[in-house]
Amino acid sequence: MPTLEIDGQSVTVEDGLNLIQAAERLGIEIPHYCYHPGLSIAGNCRMCLVEIEKAPKLQIACNTRVAEGMVVRTQSDKVKHARAAVLEFLLINHPIDCPICDQAGECKLQDYYMDYDRQESRFALEDKVHKNKARDIGPLIMLDQERCILCTRCTRFLEEVTGTGELGVFQRGDHCAIDLFPDRRLTNAYSGNVADICPVGALTNKDFRFRARVWYLDHTASVCTTCATGCNIDIHHRRGEVLRFRPRHNADVNQYWMCDEGRLSYKRLQGEGRLLQPVVRDGAAWAVRGWTEARALLRTRLSEIVAAHGAGAVAGVVSAQATNEEIFLFGRLMREALGAAVATLAWSPVDATRDDFLIDADKNPNSAGLRALLTDVADLDQVLAEARRGAVRGLVLLRADLHAARGSGVLDALGDALEFVAVLDTHFGPTAEIGDLLLPIATFAETDGTFINRAGRVQRVHEAVPPPAQSARGWQLLSELLGDVTGDAVPVDASAVFTELAATHAAFRQLSYSRLGELGQPLAAGA
């Protein structure tokens, strides 16, 4: 554990760290372009030059390891002069099209120019080297060669992380440019990450391009729900609309990356198909109802079926798309309050995409949560069979897409056999069409809660935007339904539900709900 001094402050850090990492421990930013903690050291931008006592010349901080007694200066006149010179060099041929650049607000060339340069160019505008602009290089990425500063982050990512190597550096001198290798396209499953790590506006995301200026966006920490990996993400949103997902660093889950499928999954959360208010089947049509009337109808119909045919005539199905809090409350509602059986659904397509990095074949965010919270569950196929022969008369579905999991034939049979079907979900689809009562609930971006990923790590999602229209947060709706039947008080927030859950399930007792919002915590062994 060497101790060194940076700008007059002493710090003790682990052996093997570089000076950029050591300075971060003191809240000191050493400017850099080519360095990225998830990639190898290139040392080609020279922006991170610092002065080290007894060293004959300035050293690059990214490739200089800490040493005992080292004295480092990051703000000396010699360092400031070097930074200004590096920036002038990088900006000599830059197009300076900042007003129309989609990277504005996230561009380190802009930021560092204002911090360390602010000098006029000595290079005539007409003498600048021109390169390709707005070049489509893949389904998700646009390349502007004139803005590129040749930091090579993108090429290193494609060589070291994906191993696909679509991009390279071509030509010489001031004509050097990042470009595709012949007959290649940037089509790998993680292509969007090159836009995230590009420090300037050379690589931009076509899906987000020109949709919003980033300084207007709010950021909310969350978890991707497209598969069981549970990549940590930031939800970027504005005025109640989710505009993009970006990966959030978690060394134990996804490091610095996420797949393109997860990146684009925000589109499913909003737009066409959302259930926006409670509706009741009225013959061949649907009639809108208020929440009080809708909840009363659910309680009344299920109670009537239980009274007429016994508790076994009602069953519930909850999927691995639900949060831990929703699964816990749904289990209590169906089992304790109604004495009904509960079946679980953790369905994925047979041909689901997967790889050895982040993409899991399990396309559910909370399969592990279902296993941890619900034991001795009924077999789903048996429940559906009993429904078809009339033994089960009432069915409650929580985020359970039976159409995708079992096909339209099952739905047709259920629609004819069941007396009452209640669907608690986010979107109207084939499964919702067999319902008699549709209760709209929030997506994971519109509620608080927790999931358990494939490695057994309990991770928290935060409400980024409010549920649209009359959609309800799942934990809140289930708490109110449970209260309608049992008279129990409704929890004030999701953390109160988690506290109740943890008191009931020993594997959760060592977890702190507040700390889950950082990097998550592993579930107790054996859970």
Side-chain angles (χ1 to χ4, degrees), residues 16-305:
L17 294 188
N18 63 40
L19 292 180
I20 292 178
Q21 295 168 315
E24 286 177 347
R25 302 288 178 88
L26 294 171
I28 297 172
E29 180 190 23
I30 297 178
H32 56 276
Y33 290 117
C34 65
Y35 170 73
H36 187 282
L39 303 173
S40 63
I41 304 292
N44 60 19
C45 76
R46 319 310 285 183
M47 192 65 197
C48 65
L49 288 167
V50 295
E51 187 174 4
I52 301 175
E53 194 173 89
K54 299 181 182 179
K57 58 183 180 180
L58 300 181
Q59 303 293 316
I60 53 173
C62 64
N63 203 29
T64 302
R65 299 291 184 251
V66 295
E68 180 66 34
M70 183 180 280
V71 177
V72 182
R73 300 183 185 91
T74 72
Q75 298 296 328
S76 68
D77 291 340
K78 188 185 293 187
V79 169
K80 291 178 180 178
H81 178 74
R83 288 175 183 167
V86 168
L87 284 165
E88 184 180 21
F89 175 75
L90 293 176
L91 288 164
I92 281 177
N93 289 308
H94 196 278
I96 317 297
D97 52 1
C98 303
I100 62 167
C101 179
D102 204 45
Q103 191 76 359
E106 295 178 315
C107 177
K108 288 301 182 183
L109 205 54
Q110 289 181 351
D111 295 344
Y112 291 159
Y113 172 81
M114 297 303 296
D115 290 340
Y116 305 112
D117 193 7
R118 296 200 184 190
Q119 59 184 322
E120 293 185 9
S121 175
R122 294 181 283 177
F123 205 73
L125 184 64
E126 60 271 16
D127 293 333
K128 287 179 179 286
V129 176
H130 294 287
K131 302 175 184 177
N132 292 324
K133 295 186 73 65
R135 185 177 174 197
D136 184 343
I137 63 171
L140 203 58
I141 300 297
M142 190 77 76
L143 168 64
D144 190 315
Q145 292 177 337
E146 285 190 348
R147 298 173 185 167
C148 179
I149 61 171
L150 298 170
C151 70
T152 68
R153 283 187 178 187
C154 56
T155 61
R156 281 177 284 146
F157 171 81
L158 296 172
E159 291 168 1
E160 300 166 9
V161 179
T162 67
T164 51
E166 294 94 337
L167 294 175
V169 181
F170 299 88
Q171 304 300 329
R172 291 183 175 183
D174 58 5
H175 284 72
C176 273
I178 296 291
D179 206 347
L180 288 167
F181 281 96
D183 302 321
R184 299 291 298 276
R185 290 273 287 170
L186 188 55
T187 57
N188 71 71
Y190 299 89
S191 66
N193 291 284
V194 300
D196 296 337
I197 62 178
C198 181
V200 294
L203 294 166
T204 50
N205 188 319
K206 289 195 293 186
D207 179 69
F208 179 72
R209 194 171 163 88
F210 303 126
R211 293 191 64 196
R213 285 301 193 187
V214 297
W215 48 78
Y216 294 130
L217 299 180
D218 294 313
H219 302 175
T220 302
S222 192
V223 174
C224 178
T225 61
T226 54
C227 77
T229 302
C231 291
N232 287 210
I233 64 171
D234 280 318
I235 299 176
H236 293 192
H237 52 98
R238 183 188 183 199
R239 296 176 179 172
E241 181 184 7
V242 176
L243 293 173
R244 67 176 178 179
F245 291 163
R246 294 189 77 177
R248 179 167 52 92
H249 175 237
N250 188 331
D252 294 313
V253 182
N254 56 309
Q255 301 169 46
Y256 300 90
W257 325 115
M258 72 181 301
C259 72
D260 291 349
E261 182 183 359
R263 185 184 300 274
L264 297 176
S265 64
Y266 78 91
K267 296 181 179 181
R268 308 174 194 169
L269 307 182
Q270 46 207 5
E272 275 188 43
R274 281 300 300 268
L275 291 170
L276 300 176
Q277 50 198 350
V279 292
V280 177
R281 185 179 296 279
D282 186 6
W286 295 96
V288 176
R289 294 289 185 266
W291 271 111
T292 301
E293 184 179 352
R295 294 198 336 252
L297 175 63
L298 176 65
R299 181 181 69 250
T300 301
R301 291 301 306 275
L302 293 180
S303 298
E304 289 173 349
I305 292 173

Side-chain angles (χ1 to χ4, degrees), residues 294-376:
R295 294 198 336 252
L297 175 63
L298 176 65
R299 181 181 69 250
T300 301
R301 291 301 306 275
L302 293 180
S303 298
E304 289 173 349
I305 292 173
V306 170
H309 306 285
V314 171
V317 181
V318 55
S319 84
Q321 297 292 324
T323 65
N324 290 320
E325 291 75 13
E326 292 169 353
I327 294 168
F328 170 69
L329 290 169
F330 187 77
R332 285 197 58 199
L333 173 66
M334 300 306 297
R335 286 174 163 176
E336 298 177 23
L338 298 171
V342 174
T344 60
L345 174 62
W347 175 84
S348 298
V350 175
D351 58 348
T353 55
R354 66 170 301 278
D355 61 24
D356 295 328
F357 185 33
L358 296 179
I359 303 174
D360 198 290
D362 181 0
K363 299 306 177 183
N364 300 280
N366 207 21
S367 297
L370 276 184
R371 293 192 296 268
L373 292 168
L374 292 179
T375 57
D376 299 324

